[in-house]
Amino acid sequence: MHTILLTGGAGFIGSHLTRLFVRKYANYKIVNLDKLTYAGNLENLRDIENEPNYQFIKGDITDLELLRKLFAEYKFTAVLHCAAESHVDRSITDPLAFINTNVLGTASLLQAAKEAWSGEFENKIFYHISTDEVYGSLGETGFFTEETAYDPRSPYSASKASSDHIVRAFYHTYKMPVKISNCSNNYGPYHFPEKLIPLCIHNIINNKPLPIYGKGENVRDWLYVEDHVKAIDVVFHNGKIGETYNIGGHNEWTNISLVKELCRQMDGKLGREKGSSEKLITYVTDRAGHDLRYAIDATKLKDELGWTPSLQFEEGISKTIDWYLANAEWLKHVTSGDYQKYYNSQYRS
Ligand code: NAD
Ligand code: TYD
């Protein structure tokens, strides 16, 4: 039995996590605290918004007074912390927004939990959801393990690394019962179309250029979002207190080969001539400080907790494309307004 403060539940991963917990654990209460930034969208949660064990609260994780009030009112036994500023390119133009939410926001949540739980840590969990980007950039070989030294290079990854360190500091200093997981790149339904995969799906549908940074040789390790949230479920219930678990799919793709696979599948699904979407590929100026390669070694999670990804990439991508084609209204809503302004300034050259 848990009453869970789930932060960032209106975002991409948060909405999948909220759905999983609300549906799977009828005896838990899930309170979703989300500021509804450009990336937060209550449409992501339409199918569960009326469930009796779910509640939404609009608010900011940096607002310590609000957090204190919520802990007093709901008597949370657990925190599932997903809220963050999450897009590397935005962190390059506005680093302070990342430091504010990712560092101060996480510290405020820890502080509120520490005050509310005041040393009574039995059956309590503070679960911090983090990224493999904290480990920095790999060369052509090797993998990130839980022992890899932190070496973040973007304002986004530095802010996430900082938040991981603060979470561990609360574990060592106050015995706060924390868990951390660091996951590789996710993809799937409800992914905001500023990130590579949904951006390319959107642009292929609309016959717009597919912007590839640099030569397209950077490598990412992609995991279907539902596999990520299943791993979080496993770590939440069976992971050891104070431990970190890496989550990844052993599924490395260079950006250019990934985009070509997207083009190939979408030509088929849209009934377009073979090779026509690839013509949209456009090489653009590289991202500043662009990390070359991420790749996760998830052996600890497999050996200790028995988790492995369930979906092969070609199948996951096919499901993802089908979802975007079936949800044109969702895509239309999130690509209007503020997003259009961001897009025009990011890709103006
Ligand atoms: P997202 O940008 O889609 O969603 C973030 C959510 O947090 C949004 O709903 C937003 O409104 C909310 N939020 C932002 N600032 C807030 C604040 N100050 N107070 C309250 N709510 C706020 O992000 P995502 O891709 O779903 O990522 C979720 C978490 O998973 C992040 O911590 C991210 O670092 C981590 N992660 C993401 C990936 C990935 O590939 N997307 C991979 C590994 C880890
Ligand atoms: P992204 O989806 O932003 O995730 P992250 O930077 O967190 O890995 O980017 C994935 C890869 O795709 C990354 O190497 C940057 C590259 N990329 C492009 O080539 N063009 C784009 O328009 C975007 C958004 C990303």
Side-chain angles (χ1 to χ4, degrees):
M1 178 65 199
H2 273 294
T3 304
I4 301 178
L5 174 61
L6 194 157
T7 70
F12 168 48
I13 295 168
S15 61
H16 286 274
L17 188 60
T18 304
R19 180 173 296 102
L20 176 72
F21 269 63
V22 164
R23 292 222 174 114
K24 188 168 173 188
Y25 301 107
N27 57 333
Y28 290 4
K29 182 170 176 73
I30 313 297
V31 178
N32 169 16
L33 175 68
D34 196 299
K35 185 179 173 182
L36 299 183
T37 67
Y38 78 93
N41 181 356
L42 291 178
E43 284 184 49
N44 299 359
L45 294 163
R46 246 263 150 114
D47 53 330
I48 53 135
E49 67 189 3
N50 294 321
E51 295 297 333
N53 63 338
Y54 170 74
Q55 189 178 339
F56 172 70
I57 294 171
K58 184 171 188 299
D60 191 324
I61 57 164
T62 64
D63 183 348
L64 185 55
E65 283 315 310
L66 170 69
L67 298 178
R68 284 180 174 135
K69 222 179 82 207
L70 295 178
F71 267 91
E73 185 177 342
Y74 291 94
K75 313 265 183 283
F76 299 119
T77 54
V79 178
L80 271 173
H81 177 33
C82 264
E85 288 291 342
S86 69
H87 189 39
V88 174
D89 292 323
R90 289 185 190 250
S91 84
I92 294 169
T93 41
D94 187 10
L96 291 188
F98 285 68
I99 288 155
N100 194 42
T101 286
N102 299 358
V103 183
L104 284 177
T106 303
S108 303
L109 277 167
L110 285 160
Q111 179 64 19
K114 174 177 162 292
E115 290 175 9
W117 294 342
S118 59
E120 300 284 322
F121 291 141
E122 214 187 310
N123 193 38
K124 307 289 196 307
I125 303 170
F126 188 106
Y127 189 144
H128 178 60
I129 285 131
S130 194
T131 166
D132 61 354
E133 302 192 27
V134 299
Y135 299 120
S137 182
L138 289 166
E140 278 169 18
T141 56
F143 295 93
F144 298 135
T145 73
E146 289 80 0
E147 274 73 48
T148 303
Y150 277 29
D151 185 21
R153 288 142 178 265
S154 73
Y156 164 65
S157 54
S159 68
K160 291 296 294 187
S162 172
S163 64
D164 291 9
H165 287 315
I166 298 167
V167 172
R168 286 195 190 97
F170 270 62
Y171 168 68
H172 290 293
T173 309
Y174 309 112
K175 310 280 177 272
M176 174 81 79
V178 309
K179 298 183 184 187
I180 299 178
S181 54
N182 295 80
C183 189
S184 62
N185 286 60
N186 284 212
Y187 69 97
Y190 302 110
H191 203 184
F192 194 84
E194 65 186 353
K195 308 275 169 69
L196 181 68
I197 290 179
L199 185 141
C200 287
I201 293 174
H202 175 253
N203 287 9
I204 292 171
I205 294 171
N206 295 291
N207 272 308
K208 285 172 67 180
L210 308 177
I212 306 293
Y213 297 161
K215 294 185 181 148
E217 285 167 353
N218 304 67
V219 174
R220 297 293 182 264
D221 177 358
W222 295 93
L223 181 68
Y224 193 64
V225 61
E226 286 181 6
D227 276 329
H228 182 192
V229 300
K230 282 181 197 159
I232 293 173
D233 181 15
V234 168
V235 172
F236 180 83
H237 288 98
N238 303 324
K240 289 193 198 119
I241 296 292
E243 296 264 326
T244 294
Y245 295 87
N246 280 355
I247 308 173
H250 261 300
N251 178 43
E252 295 180 50
W253 287 72
T254 60
N255 294 336
I256 189 63
S257 45
L258 163 55
V259 171
K260 285 185 178 169
E261 172 64 16
L262 271 180
C263 290
R264 188 188 66 77
Q265 289 206 21
M266 287 197 67
D267 282 345
K269 288 177 193 286
L270 293 168
R272 291 183 185 166
E273 196 186 323
K274 222 170 148 188
S276 58
S277 297
E278 265 195 33
K279 294 194 185 117
L280 299 169
I281 290 175
T282 309
Y283 292 92
V284 299
T285 311
D286 208 354
R287 172 185 281 173
H290 196 171
D291 288 341
L292 177 67
R293 175 170 166 258
Y294 305 143
I296 278 276
D297 178 345
T299 307
K300 177 178 175 184
L301 186 56
K302 179 167 172 270
D303 287 355
E304 284 188 18
L305 304 180
W307 176 91
T308 49
S310 67
L311 268 194
Q312 291 298 313
F313 189 60
E314 285 78 359
E315 189 189 347
I317 276 293
S318 172
K319 274 177 79 161
T320 304
I321 297 168
D322 290 346
W323 185 87
Y324 279 91
L325 292 176
N327 288 275
E329 274 298 297
W330 182 92
L331 202 49
K332 203 166 111 197
H333 291 169
V334 298
T335 49
S336 55
D338 276 356
Y339 175 71
Q340 210 48 53
K341 269 190 255 156
Y342 162 80
Y343 192 88
N344 293 340
S345 71
Q346 175 69 13
Y347 298 103
R348 65 178 173 269
S349 56

